[in-house]
Amino acid sequence: MGSLRTEPSAPVLGYPARRRFTLDVLIDEQDRLELLRAEARRGLTRRPKELPPKWFYDQRGSALFDAITGLPEYYLTRRERAILRVHAGEIAAITGARTLVELGSGTSDKTRLIIDALDAAGTLEYFVPFDVCRPALEDAGAALLDEYPRLQVHAVVGDFDLHLAAIPHEGPTLVAFLGSTIGNFPAPARAELLGELRRMLGVGGFFLVGTDLVKDRARLDAAYNDSRGITAAFNRNVLRVLNRDLDADFVEERFEHVAAFDPELELVDIRLRSRVAQTVHVAALGLNVAFAAGEEMRTEISTKFRRTGLERELRASGFSAAGWWTDRAGDFALSLWRVG
Ligand code: SAH
Ligand code: AVI
């Protein structure tokens, strides 16, 4: 399988697991800082201010997201896992995948259900987790090698926006994009992502996507405003990242977490609201950023889907339907698509 800028395996891995783990670094620390500088400058100087959600996910942000997935209000992860428990075997039978790529893989926790099913079907050889958060890939990779003694893990540190075409894969391939992370992309970026995936997969390749569905506003608002404040800490984590990596002086307590479902756009709009009028200095950018009292900066959107809309988007990007499954409550959907 093709390998790009391959670094030695993570030091935590001992022989013989070392031979089954590769880590391609398509975005190293220097690239990451350069990209952060460019995106932070663009986002903090535009009106309204906005930061891309990828910057939540340093090691702490990934741990906070993991904590979110266990919150009583955050039903998404439990629902998707319930669907996979019932339907992973069907997905394995339809796709016969030799390579499983996972976009935004994080802990790859639910993914084990797909790996188990493909392993039982005897087709799976390569697992390719792709994520912008290198520590998450190293931790998940080490755990997977222990759990699956036959599996080759080819992890890739990269950015959805830049590196999809460079993802290595061999033989029948299934790309999984779980957790409704696709909902964090605005519609035009979703279309671009789907086009890239279609080109990368080629005719006959499969795409499995988890999508949260439109539902009662109160439940959506609760899922993004948990009573323990973990989602608020996750949202504010982007400020810590800017403080640490761009030598900025954001004071977290001066920003309030705001998240609400927008019924017209059918998305949860997630922002940080300045509690006071203040000026923040971002030393690495030589930038002073003024916030008015009450001014909001968008940090994420979380789009909620309907079947018809999703089908329209996938068809327009060259995919045909190969499976649609929901949990019993109809909260979340997992759908399978074939290129061509
Ligand atoms: N798939 C897991 C994790 C979802 S959290 C689940 O279903 O629970 C979103 C994941 O996407 C994180 O691990 C984060 O690091 C990754 N991510 C976010 N933006 C990214 C980007 N631009 N490129 C690559 N990975 C990204
Ligand atoms: C990763 N992504 C799908 C989560 C979501 O639900 O949109 C991120 C998140 N933001 C706040 N809570 C969870």
Side-chain angles (χ1 to χ4, degrees), residues 136-163:
L137 286 170
E138 288 173 339
D139 291 352
L144 287 164
L145 290 168
D146 275 350
E147 291 167 41
Y148 298 93
R150 289 189 301 273
L151 195 63
Q152 302 273 340
V153 179
H154 193 142
V156 182
V157 187
D159 184 336
F160 300 144
D161 302 336
L162 301 169
H163 301 121

Side-chain angles (χ1 to χ4, degrees), residues 53-55 57 62 65 69 77 80 102-108 110-111 130-133 136 158-161 177-181 184-185:
K54 78 181 79 155
W55 303 111
Y57 298 96
S62 291
F65 177 74
T69 64
T77 310
E80 189 174 43
E102 183 179 17
L103 304 180
S105 47
T107 61
S108 291
K110 289 164 290 180
T111 321
F130 176 94
D131 205 289
V132 76
C133 180
D159 184 336
F160 300 144
D161 302 336
F177 200 13
L178 303 181
S180 206
T181 302
N184 299 135
F185 289 62

Side-chain angles (χ1 to χ4, degrees), residues 128-286:
V128 184
F130 176 94
D131 205 289
V132 76
C133 180
R134 179 175 177 162
L137 286 170
E138 288 173 339
D139 291 352
L144 287 164
L145 290 168
D146 275 350
E147 291 167 41
Y148 298 93
R150 289 189 301 273
L151 195 63
Q152 302 273 340
V153 179
H154 193 142
V156 182
V157 187
D159 184 336
F160 300 144
D161 302 336
L162 301 169
H163 301 121
L164 293 183
I167 296 178
H169 60 105
E170 213 166 271
T173 298
L174 168 63
V175 171
F177 200 13
L178 303 181
S180 206
T181 302
I182 196 169
N184 299 135
F185 289 62
R190 287 202 297 276
E192 246 176 70
L193 167 100
L194 293 173
E196 279 291 321
L197 283 178
R198 187 198 56 217
R199 282 186 285 281
M200 175 218 146
L201 279 166
V203 173
F206 284 96
F207 178 50
L208 180 71
V209 62
T211 43
D212 194 19
L213 300 175
V214 173
K215 59 180 60 62
D216 180 58
R217 185 178 189 160
R219 286 186 61 216
L220 287 168
D221 285 350
Y224 292 84
N225 291 281
D226 66 275
S227 59
R228 291 170 54 196
I230 310 282
T231 310
F234 171 74
N235 192 8
R236 288 197 199 98
N237 192 55
V238 71
L239 303 181
R240 286 197 188 206
V241 169
L242 297 183
N243 285 351
R244 185 193 59 218
D245 293 342
L246 298 185
D247 204 6
D249 60 2
F250 284 95
V251 177
E252 274 186 73
E253 296 69 33
R254 293 193 189 145
F255 289 85
E256 186 187 352
H257 164 73
V258 183
F261 181 59
D262 178 332
E264 269 175 34
L265 299 177
E266 299 194 323
L267 54 82
V268 178
D269 205 335
I270 299 159
R271 297 165 183 227
L272 288 168
R273 179 187 292 151
S274 181
R275 293 185 198 271
V276 291
Q278 55 179 321
T279 298
V280 175
H281 183 57
V282 187
L285 301 180

